Structures are given as structure tokens and as C-alpha cells.
């Protein structure tokens, strides 16, 4: 492991301690801490959960229970670009399932998976509030609307380089 | 304070941001500078106007010109014409808003004509990130009024006379909840705002938070005064970053102005607010599950009783209301309960906001007086069904609701009438479906959602919904059996009666309502192995029309599994056993000779 990576990780743990200290004593602090920790690390590996458990004085089983209950929290590392295809009702009735299927086919992965090169993770989401543009997908917060299947290869290509 | 000769309003709601409204603002600023008029025109980024379909939406005052689908490349011309030469750029004006050469007032445009903006009164009008604009529109006057002129009982009495019912779905009277919580004994009490908006096809609450966050904050303080609480929590979905950001800004501004915090307006009433983020669990929209989640636990529901009004957050008396419910409250206090009670129908007062989506020409956010019919929403406000297709059903209430067929288009919308026809008001999702949508598939879609989101605490919901989904999947795959409809119904009633919380109790509704109105579609899938709408892939076949085929061979080249064969001059044929029903051939055929059957 290179020196730079190591220090970045150490720095993250340092910041995690600060996050925990900031919320300590607040009631219901666990979920806000998990949100911020995930923001920091990109996901919530067991080691991070252990630190949180120690820091907040919440049993590890409970931390793990909460992490696995909510779909926003992830135990595995995500790709650099997160493709979220809206499967909200408005998008679904305008054909977003076909859009999702096409993306999975183009990237040759399953839903929730990350491509081997670590570039893309594909997920289905609920309404993102852009029903007027249905069907819609988001890549790292940037929305693409009024999609047809054949738009997909071009969109993916944009992020590959 | 600056004086501007013109104001340009740009929608910064999620829909319009997705279509690029923020780049517009940046380009506008540059263009204004270029012409040296940057101090003459004010740019206001607002919340949602409602017409998301036409986004990005831009309105210019004082003329009130309504421009739609404005793109960055249009900006130089727009600035030149509208602001330098003072002429309307007709090419970009929303056609509905022009009459000959005259600009029509927005309230005369079909989309807005039948609407009445109460909860959305400030959305698209003010800059949600600026408390002064909210104050200029009578903001926080209601809070001031009750603090100086009323007792908590007066406030509850106003809610009673107004007849405000919860907008989160169930329609429970607001005053009752507040009364229970006020009467409950506890050293601390809490006010919680449900902004978890779980319906997978809806965005009303999000738009209110994005467009007018202060009205929710003001109402929560009013509720705090009424029940005797000094602390509130807003539970927002983490998937709503813009709403969360604007809420944070609004709360901080209110604190700076002394409107939140200790001794508000110099009285002895104190009230503080915190935000809690959801983490992607539909069941957390259910009130007791939400309370568990705010406490930092797994979001599983609690048995009721005890009700939250007696034993809620941290086991203290708590009221929980929906975003839209709160957004109605300040204006009710200011204009009086009589004013509010006059809007709507006898038993359902006021308005309801719907997120109109799916197969209508106009989609977006609409707010209508209760009692408006579905027909008015679909055809007058929504502009009808695109591409000359036929209306098939309207879905309300999301995964807890049902589908309303064409025969009930003239039902006036209120809590009771929707319940009578097998759906619910719900939180405001309203999805229109046309003849190309398969009702069995829609039922399967919602059941799939429920199976995913069932928290697993009680067996009827965890296991029962899974069995229902399996049956629905079988049916859509052409493996349905005689008796499946009855089995579905039977199981549906068991789940409804035996589940612990509202999620399971309402989960069978989409199935029951589609069976009730579209039984023939279920039968076609089961008996004839046909999907009349042509949605269920396994039940489709693609055929080449012999008289239209010109034997060009394009379809055979495009077919990914090489199952189309033919010779020059004779019509091609598809080998049905090998066909994977991808539809590539149909799209490829230049003569329209391939159809779904
Ligand atoms: C499964 C389930 C999901 C719900 N989702 C929401 C929701 O997303 N938003 C909401 O305001 N209420 C939701 N509710 C209703 C709440 O439990 C509660 O009744 C409501 O927030 C009370 O506020 P109101 O009286 O102002 O409507 C849901 C209920 C159930 C059973
Ligand atoms: S359903 Fe996809 S954005 Fe609303």
C-alpha cells in the first residue's frame, strides 16, 4: 500500500472520531453519524462500524442491525459513478424498466452491482422528483431525462474515459 | 434595498434543475453583464411552478411572460429581445399563455385555471433561500399572531373549525391529534414533521420543502405552542439533497432572526428544530417506524396503542404531521378557519396537492380544491392523454392505493369518495395510465415494491406479500392457473386484516382494485395467455405481416439470436421458439411490417 493511500485512510479515521465526538450525547445520534461516515468512506465496512460502536457506546450488533436495515447504507464499496435509474411509478409507466435492462446489458452486471473496473454501480431508485422528464436516470446527481433505450450507450461512453 | 425594473423568475425545483435551470442562471448573469444591465434586473431562483414537463420554466415580470423549455443557447437572444429591446420573444413563450399577440395572465392558462394554490402559495413565487422574501409575503405573521393574541386552546379550536385533515394519506383530523397531545401529561413533548415521502411516484412534499421551507417551520412552531412542545424534528429523505439544503438554510436564518430558539418574539415561548435524515426505507413513512428511526434505531413499526400522542418520540407525547398539512396552517391562522372551510367539499376542506405524472400531456405539480373531478385534472389541467391514446386508469395512493378506471372519472376527489371506489387519497401521487399499460403488471410492480420494503417484523406482511408477488409473476409470465384470482383475493384479505402496521394492511390494495376493475385483463393473462396491453414480454409474439414485408432482410441482420430467416422476394419469418422478444426487429423494419401480437 502506498504511503499516500495510507495517510488518507488514517485521516478519514481521524475525521470519523471528530464526527462521533460532535454527535456524542445527542439522542438518536447513530443514524446521523452513519450518514456522515458513509459520506467520508464511501461505504461502511465493519472496521468503521466498530469505531462508531465504541465511540457512541452502542453495541456493534445494533450498529450492524441499523446499517443493514436501511438501503442507503452500504457494506460494500461503490463504483466511481453511481447510475440510479428511476423506477418510480411515473417513470415505470413510461418505460424505465427497459432503460434499466439496457444499462445492465451494456455493462454486463446485475442490479446493485459494481463493474469490475470499479467505474459504475447501477441501482434502481424511487421517484427523484423529475417525473415530468420520465423516464429519468441520475449519474452522481446529474439527471438525464426523456430517455429512450438508444440513448444509453452514448451516456455510458461519456463517463468511461 | 435595490430597485429593479424587471424580475426574472427561474424555477430551481428538482425537475427544472434536471433540465438545466442552473446553467441558465449562470448564462443569464453573464449576458446581463455584457449589456451592462446586471443592476436593473433581478434574478430569482424559486421553487417549483408545477409545470415540470415544460422545464426549465422562466417567468419575466412585470409583464408576466411565461417562457418554457428555455435552453442555454436561447439566452443571448432572450436577453437581447426581452430586456434590451423590451419585446417578447414569441418563439419561446409557452403557447398556451399567448392569446393572439397578448400575453395571458398565468391564472388564465388551462393548466393553472382550475387550480387553487393554498399549500403551494409561495412555491415558484419567492426565493426559498431568503427569509426576507418569506417575511414580505406575510411570513411568520401567523406565529406572531398566535403568540400575542391566542391561547393554545384557541389554536386547536381554529384547526377544528377549519376542518383541516392530515395530507399524509389517512386524513386524520389535525385538531384531534393536537388535542390528545396537549392533554397528555409529559415533561417534554415533540412536534415531528413527516417528510419521508415514500410513494415511489410522488414529489409534493419535496416541492414544498424546496419552494417554501419557512411555511413548514412556522407551522411547526405554531404546533409546538398549541401542544406545549419546545422541540421539533423534521424527518426528510436523504434522497432529497436540495430540500435538505434549503431547510438547513431556512432553519439557520430563522434562528438568526430570533424566530426559532429561546423566547421567540420576546415571549416566554421557546422552540427549536432539528433535521433528521431518512436512509431509504419506505416503512419509515409510517409514523411509529419513523419515530424509531429518529431515535436512531431500525425503522420498524410499534404496535398501537399506545398512540404517539401519548407515548411517541423518546416515549414522550408527540404529534406527527405531514409537510403539506403543515404548509396549510399559517395561512389558515391568518385568513381564518371560515375562509379555509369554504374551499372544497362538505367533509374534505381545503385543497390537495398532487404530483401528476405518467401519460398526460402536462405533468407536474397541481393543487386543486377538494371536489374537483379526476376528469378535470386529467383533461383540463393535464391536457389529456398524449398521442391520441385512450385513458385507462388513474393510480392514487401509491403502493397503499388503487387504480381508478374511466367509469369513475367524474368522481369528485375527496377522502371519502376515493375510499368508496376502492382507492385512497394517499399523499398525492397521481399517475395516469393509458391503453398501453397492463394493469396486472402495475399490480406486480407495486407488490414488488412492497416485498422489497416490508420490514419483516410481522409474518403476514413479510411472507404473505411474497406469495402474492410470486402469483402475480406467474400470471404475467403466462403460467397463471385457474383459481389464481380467487387465491390472490383470499390472501389479500388475510394480509390486510392481520398485518401489524399500515404498510401491510394497505399493501394488497393495488391488487384488489385492479382485480375489481380489470378482472378481464387478469383472465386474459390466465386463460388466453395474452397481455391485451402488450406489456408482458413472455406473452407477446412478434409477427411479420406477409403483405407488408418487402423481403429486404434488415430484420434478419438485426436479430440478436438469428431467428429470422427468408429468401429474396418471399416474406421473412420469425422462428417463435427461438425468439427472445427483444423487439429489435420491429424497430428496425423500415416498412412497419412487424407487429406485436
Ligand atoms: C407504509 C406507510 C407509509 C407512509 N408514508 C408516508 C409518507 O411518506 N408521508 C407521510 O406524510 N405520511 C406517510 N404515512 C402516514 C403516516 O403514518 C402518518 O399518518 C402521517 O404522516 C400523519 O400526518 P398527517 O396526519 O398530517 O397526514 C405512511 C403510512 C404508512 C402506513
Ligand atoms: S417517477 Fe421517476 S422521477 Fe418521479
Amino acid at each position: 500500500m502506498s504511503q499516500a493511500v495510507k495517510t488518507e485512510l488514517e485521516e478519514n479515521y481521524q475525521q470519523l472520531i471528530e464526527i462521533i465526538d460532535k454527535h456524542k450525547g445527542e439522542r438518536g445520534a447513530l443514524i446521523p453519524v452513519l450518514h456522515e461516515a458513509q459520506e467520508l468512506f464511501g461505504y461502511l465496512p465493519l472496521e468503521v462500524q466498530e469505531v462508531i460502536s465504541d465511540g457512541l457506546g452502542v453495541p456493534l450488533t445494533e450498529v450492524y442491525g441499523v446499517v443493514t436495515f436501511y438501503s442507503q447504507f452500504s457494506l460494500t464499496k461503490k463504483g466511481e459513478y453511481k447510475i440510479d435509474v428511476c423506477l418510480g411509478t411515473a417513470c415505470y409507466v413510461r418505460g424505465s424498466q427497459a432503460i434499466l435492462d439496457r444499462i445492465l446489458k451494456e455493462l454486463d452486471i446485475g442490479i446493485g452491482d459494481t463493474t469490475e473496473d470499479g467505474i459504475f454501480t447501477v441501482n434502481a431508485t424511487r421517484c427523484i422528483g423529475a417525473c415530468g422528464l420520465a423516464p429519468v436516470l441520475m449519474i452522481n446527481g446529474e439527471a438525464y431525462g426523456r430517455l429512450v433505450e438508444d440513448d444509453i450507450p452514448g451516456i455510458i461512453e461519456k463517463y468511461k474515459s | 434595498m435595490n430597485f429593479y425594473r424587471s424580475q426574472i423568475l427561474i424555477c430551481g425545483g428538482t425537475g427544472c434543475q434536471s433540465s438545466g435551470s442552473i446553467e441558465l442562471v449562470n448564462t443569464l448573469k453573464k449576458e446581463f453583464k455584457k449589456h451592462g444591465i446586471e443592476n436593473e434586473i433581478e434574478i430569482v431562483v424559486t421553487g417549483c411552478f408545477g409545470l415540470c414537463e415544460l422545464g426549465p420554466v422562466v417567468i419575466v415580470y412585470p409583464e408576466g411572460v411565461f417562457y418554457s423549455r428555455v435552453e442555454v443557447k436561447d439566452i443571448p437572444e432572450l436577453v437581447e429581445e426581452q430586456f434590451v429591446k423590451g419585446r417578447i420573444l414569441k418563439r419561446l413563450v409557452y403557447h398556451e399563455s399567448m392569446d393572439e399577440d397578448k400575453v395571458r395572465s398565468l391564472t388564465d392558462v388551462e393548466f393553472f385555471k382550475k387550480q387553487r394554490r393554498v399549500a403551494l402559495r409561495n412555491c415558484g413565487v419567492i426565493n426559498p433561500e431568503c427569509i426576507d422574501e418569506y417575511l414580505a409575503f406575510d411570513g411568520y405573521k401567523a406565529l406572531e399572531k398566535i403568540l400575542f393574541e391566542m391561547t393554545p386552546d384557541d389554536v386547536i379550536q381554529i384547526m377544528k373549525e377549519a376542518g383541516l385533515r392530515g395530507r399524509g394519506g389517512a386524513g386524520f383530523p389535525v385538531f384531534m391529534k393536537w388535542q390528545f397531545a396537549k392533554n397528555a401529561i409529559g415533561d417534554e413533548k415533540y412536534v415531528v414533521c413527516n417528510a419521508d415521502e415514500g410513494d415511489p411516484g410522488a414529489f409534493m412534499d419535496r416541492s414544498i420543502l424546496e419552494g417554501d421551507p419557512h411555511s413548514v417551520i412556522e407551522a411547526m412552531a405554531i404546533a409546538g405552542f398549541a401542544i406545549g412542545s419546545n422541540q421539533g424534528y423534521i424527518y426528510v429523505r436523504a434522497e432529497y439533497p436540495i430540500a435538505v439544503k434549503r431547510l438547513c438554510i431556512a432553519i439557520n436564518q430563522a434562528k438568526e432572526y430570533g424566530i426559532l430558539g429561546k423566547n421567540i418574539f420576546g415571549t416566554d415561548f421557546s422552540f427549536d428544530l432539528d433535521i433528521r435524515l431518512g436512509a431509504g426505507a419506505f416503512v419509515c413513512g409510517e409514523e411509529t417506524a419513523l419515530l424509531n428511526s429518529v431515535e436512531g434505531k431500525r425503522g420498524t413499526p410499534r404496535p398501537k396503542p399506545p398512540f404517539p400522542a401519548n407515548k411517541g418520540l423518546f416515549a414522550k407525547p408527540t404529534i406527527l404531521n405531514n409537510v403539506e398539512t403543515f404548509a396549510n396552517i399559517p395561512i389558515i391562522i391568518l385568513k381564518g378557519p371560515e375562509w379555509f372551510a369554504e374551499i372544497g367539499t362538505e367533509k374534505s376542506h381545503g385543497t390537495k396537492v398532487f404530483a401528476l405524472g405518467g401519460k398526460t400531456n402536462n405533468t407536474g405539480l397541481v393543487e386543486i380544491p377538494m371536489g374537483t373531478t379526476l376528469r378535470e385534472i386529467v383533461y383540463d389541467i393535464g391536457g389529456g392523454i398524449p398521442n391520441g391514446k385512450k385513458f385507462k386508469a388513474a393510480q392514487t395512493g401509491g403502493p397503499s392505493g388503487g387504480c381508478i378506471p374511466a367509469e369513475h372519472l367524474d368522481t369528485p376527489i375527496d377522502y371519502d369518495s376515493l375510499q368508496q371506489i376502492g382507492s385512497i387519497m394517499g399523499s398525492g401521487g397521481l399517475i395516469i395510465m393509458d391503453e398501453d399499460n397492463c394493469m396486472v403488471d402495475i399490480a406486480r410492480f407495486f407488490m414488488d415494491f412492497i416485498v422489497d420494503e416490508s420490514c419483516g417484523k410481522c409474518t403476514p406482511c413479510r411472507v404473505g406479500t411474497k406469495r402474492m408477488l410470486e402469483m402475480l409473476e406467474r400470471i404475467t409470465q403466462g403460467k397463471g392457473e385457474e383459481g389464481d384470482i380467487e387465491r390472490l383475493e383470499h390472501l389479500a384479505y388475510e394480509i390486510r386484516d392481520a398485518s401489524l402496521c399500515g404498510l401491510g394492511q394497505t399493501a394488497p390494495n393495488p391488487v384488489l382494485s385492479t382485480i375489481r376493475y380489470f378482472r378481464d385483463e387478469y383472465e386474459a393473462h390466465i386463460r388466453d395467455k395474452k397481455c391485451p396491453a402488450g406489456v408482458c414480454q413472455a406473452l407477446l409474439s412478434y409477427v411479420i405481416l406477409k403483405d407488408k414485408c418487402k423481403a429486404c432482410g434488415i430484420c434478419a441482420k438485426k436479430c440478436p439470436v438469428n431467428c429470422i430467416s427468408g429468401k429474396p422476394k418471399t416474406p421473412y419469418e420469425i422462428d417463435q421458439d427461438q425468439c427472445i422478444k427483444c423487439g429489435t426487429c420491429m424497430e428496425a423494419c423500415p416498412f412497419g411490417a412487424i407487429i406485436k401480437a
Side-chain angles (χ1 to χ4, degrees):
Chain A
M1 209 189 276
S2 79
Q3 205 65 35
V5 174
K6 213 171 163 189
T7 46
E8 193 192 316
L9 198 63
E10 278 169 7
E11 224 171 80
N12 282 350
Y13 274 105
Q14 188 54 45
Q15 277 189 40
L16 178 60
I17 303 284
E18 285 163 24
I19 292 171
I20 293 171
D21 285 343
K22 187 176 75 187
H23 288 283
K24 215 170 185 163
E26 231 172 74
R27 282 188 293 189
L30 179 56
I31 292 176
V33 169
L34 289 173
H35 269 298
E36 289 184 40
Q38 175 153 300
E39 183 93 345
L40 195 60
F41 290 88
Y43 69 121
L44 295 168
L46 209 54
E47 300 80 65
V48 171
Q49 294 178 43
E50 276 168 3
V51 176
I52 294 174
S53 158
D54 284 346
L56 291 178
V58 178
L60 186 59
T61 47
E62 200 177 314
V63 176
Y64 183 78
V66 169
V67 170
T68 50
F69 183 86
Y70 296 98
S71 62
Q72 284 260 310
F73 297 134
S74 171
L75 293 168
T76 52
K77 211 172 175 124
K78 293 275 156 90
E80 191 182 338
Y81 295 107
K82 289 181 240 356
I83 306 183
D84 293 317
V85 184
C86 178
L87 280 195
T89 323
C91 286
Y92 185 79
V93 303
R94 288 213 205 169
S96 62
Q97 183 72 47
I99 302 288
L100 176 62
D101 292 345
R102 178 67 175 266
I103 292 174
L104 296 176
K105 197 169 120 197
E106 293 282 333
L107 296 174
D108 194 21
I109 54 173
I111 197 157
D113 293 348
T114 303
T115 49
E116 254 170 45
D117 52 16
I119 298 185
F120 296 108
T121 303
V122 181
N123 268 309
T125 66
R126 320 284 182 222
C127 183
I128 56 172
C131 311
L133 312 175
V136 181
L137 66 78
M138 277 233 228
I139 302 185
N140 285 12
E142 193 180 342
Y144 295 83
R146 302 193 181 102
L147 293 169
V148 295
E149 266 184 72
D150 286 336
D151 293 339
I152 300 304
I155 294 177
I156 291 177
E157 209 47 50
K158 240 178 84 178
Y159 290 87
K160 263 195 175 155
S161 45
Chain B
M1 182 122 187
N2 279 333
F3 286 96
Y4 300 99
R5 70 172 160 96
S6 244
Q7 236 187 357
I8 177 163
L9 271 59
I10 299 178
C11 175
T14 302
C16 282
Q17 282 206 14
S18 307
S19 9
S21 64
I22 296 304
E23 287 98 273
L24 285 191
V25 174
N26 296 333
T27 321
L28 266 176
K29 281 188 187 149
K30 267 191 236 144
E31 283 296 318
F32 284 162
K33 261 230 169 78
K34 213 156 91 192
H35 291 282
I37 50 176
E38 70 269 27
N39 294 326
E40 299 171 27
I41 297 149
E42 185 184 24
I43 303 177
V44 185
V45 179
T46 69
C48 184
F49 286 108
L51 257 175
C52 313
E53 171 78 20
L54 298 173
V57 167
V58 172
I59 300 182
V60 179
Y61 285 109
E63 297 90 337
V65 196
F66 188 99
Y67 293 107
S68 65
R69 290 212 182 161
V70 181
E71 291 178 44
V72 168
K73 67 173 168 45
D74 299 321
I75 294 293
E77 192 186 350
L78 179 70
V79 172
E80 172 92 32
E81 289 293 312
Q82 176 75 50
F83 298 106
V84 179
K85 296 190 179 144
R87 294 194 298 228
I88 291 168
L89 180 57
K90 279 195 207 142
R91 141 181 110 73
L92 285 179
V93 174
Y94 175 43
H95 63 90
E96 274 269 330
S97 70
M98 287 287 280
D99 231 357
E100 307 276 308
D101 271 347
K102 275 209 347 260
V103 176
R104 281 209 273 176
S105 137
L106 271 188
T107 42
D108 284 338
V109 172
E110 261 338 292
F111 180 79
F112 292 107
K113 216 184 206 161
K114 293 211 163 152
Q115 296 198 46
R116 174 140 188 199
R117 303 207 141 199
V118 176
L120 297 178
R121 62 196 175 280
N122 292 329
C123 288
V125 179
I126 63 169
N127 175 351
E129 297 186 8
C130 174
I131 190 171
D132 292 324
E133 294 204 8
Y134 182 67
L135 291 171
F137 281 78
D138 291 338
Y140 292 107
K141 282 215 179 114
L143 179 60
E144 195 184 341
K145 182 168 169 181
I146 60 146
L147 287 182
F148 289 105
E149 297 170 19
M150 293 184 198
T151 64
D153 283 320
D154 293 340
V155 177
I156 294 175
Q157 183 62 26
I158 289 181
M159 291 304 125
K160 184 174 180 177
E161 283 167 22
L164 178 63
R165 294 169 68 173
R167 301 295 194 241
F172 195 79
V174 168
F175 87 91
M176 264 158 105
K177 257 190 217 180
W178 290 20
Q179 187 75 60
F180 290 145
K182 176 174 180 286
N183 295 348
I185 296 165
D187 47 349
E188 269 172 86
K189 296 181 184 178
Y190 296 104
V191 176
V192 179
C193 173
N194 187 346
D196 195 43
E197 197 147 59
D199 179 342
F203 58 98
M204 307 72 52
D205 295 345
R206 160 187 210 144
S207 298
I208 292 175
L209 294 177
E210 287 179 2
D212 190 19
H214 284 289
S215 70
V216 176
I217 295 172
E218 179 174 8
M220 289 182 73
I222 293 170
F225 175 75
I227 68 161
S229 155
N230 307 113
Q231 176 68 44
Y233 290 96
I234 305 181
Y235 187 84
V236 199
R237 297 179 64 185
E239 293 93 326
Y240 286 1
I242 303 175
V244 173
K245 180 182 135 215
R246 297 207 176 135
L247 260 179
C248 288
I249 294 175
I251 290 176
N252 286 335
Q253 287 176 344
K255 283 183 185 168
E256 267 169 39
Y257 276 55
I259 293 169
L260 281 179
K262 288 221 152 40
N263 302 105
I264 296 173
F265 299 135
T267 63
D268 53 11
F269 174 64
S270 304
F271 191 76
D272 223 324
L273 260 188
D274 278 310
I275 296 178
R276 283 288 180 273
L277 295 190
F282 172 64
V283 70
C284 288
E286 197 280 334
E287 52 187 9
T288 59
L290 186 150
L291 296 177
N292 274 341
S293 188
V294 174
E295 290 178 12
K297 302 185 192 141
R298 288 166 72 97
T300 49
R302 308 169 179 172
K304 289 188 271 192
F307 288 93
N310 291 314
K311 211 171 162 196
L313 191 61
F314 305 116
K316 307 284 184 200
T318 302
I319 58 156
L320 204 128
N321 281 115
N322 162 270
V323 172
E324 189 187 331
T325 315
F326 278 124
N328 276 295
I329 289 171
I331 193 166
I332 293 179
I333 304 267
L334 286 180
K335 294 209 176 183
E338 310 78 23
W339 168 82
F340 186 79
E342 263 172 28
I343 309 171
T345 63
E346 198 191 326
K347 283 196 180 148
S348 304
H349 297 170
T351 59
K352 180 76 194 87
V353 182
F354 285 98
L356 179 65
K359 309 280 186 64
T360 49
N361 280 313
N362 303 328
T363 58
L365 212 59
V366 305
E367 179 168 358
I368 45 121
M370 301 270 188
T372 306
T373 66
L374 205 49
R375 186 183 301 281
E376 289 172 293
I377 299 185
V378 174
Y379 289 95
D380 299 340
I381 298 173
I385 317 290
N387 308 322
K389 300 269 180 181
K390 265 207 341 248
F391 170 91
K392 187 183 220 169
Q395 212 280 342
T396 66
S400 311
C403 292
I404 303 165
E407 66 201 77
H408 289 308
L409 266 174
D410 290 311
T411 310
I413 292 183
D414 66 23
Y415 290 99
D416 312 287
S417 61
L418 285 184
Q419 197 137 31
Q420 262 167 29
I421 55 176
S423 191
I424 57 167
M425 176 78 90
S427 58
L430 178 57
I431 309 288
I432 308 302
M433 288 173 273
D434 68 7
E435 51 196 303
D436 290 342
N437 291 114
C438 166
M439 303 314 286
V440 186
D441 183 59
I442 291 296
R444 187 206 56 79
F445 167 80
F446 281 118
M447 198 48 74
D448 189 44
F449 176 86
I450 292 290
V451 168
D452 222 27
E453 294 293 348
S454 170
C455 76
K457 185 164 175 171
C458 75
T459 320
C461 175
R462 184 185 64 241
V463 181
T465 55
K466 184 109 184 118
R467 294 290 94 79
M468 282 183 80
L469 176 63
E470 285 164 1
M471 270 192 252
L472 289 164
E473 280 177 342
R474 266 208 337 260
I475 296 173
T476 54
Q477 285 162 4
K479 297 177 197 146
E481 293 160 13
E482 215 47 57
D484 272 351
I485 299 181
E486 291 72 23
R487 273 189 286 276
L488 276 172
E489 286 177 320
H490 179 74
L491 195 48
Y493 292 126
E494 306 254 306
I495 295 171
R496 190 187 66 184
D497 295 341
S499 293
L500 173 64
C501 85
L503 192 151
Q505 288 157 13
T506 57
N509 285 353
V511 177
L512 287 174
S513 81
T514 46
I515 291 182
R516 173 165 164 191
Y517 294 116
F518 301 95
R519 200 181 184 99
D520 54 330
E521 271 191 52
Y522 279 83
E523 284 166 353
H525 283 75
I526 296 170
R527 286 192 199 138
D528 314 331
K529 309 292 174 207
K530 284 259 179 276
C531 174
V535 171
C536 300
Q537 290 285 338
L539 301 178
L540 291 180
S541 52
Y542 288 88
V543 287
I544 299 179
L545 298 173
K546 288 205 162 70
D547 52 331
K548 281 202 177 161
C549 177
K550 303 251 193 285
C552 66
I554 289 179
C555 57
K557 276 202 208 94
K558 288 265 165 130
C559 175
V561 292
N562 293 322
C563 74
I564 307 180
S565 55
K567 292 189 289 281
K569 296 215 176 124
T570 46
Y572 275 54
E573 243 177 280
I574 301 174
D575 179 350
Q576 296 296 344
D577 291 338
Q578 286 189 42
C579 174
I580 55 164
K581 297 166 183 169
C582 63
T584 308
C585 55
M586 187 169 90
E587 269 167 42
C589 178
F591 311 107
I594 305 181
I595 57 161
K596 274 198 279 197

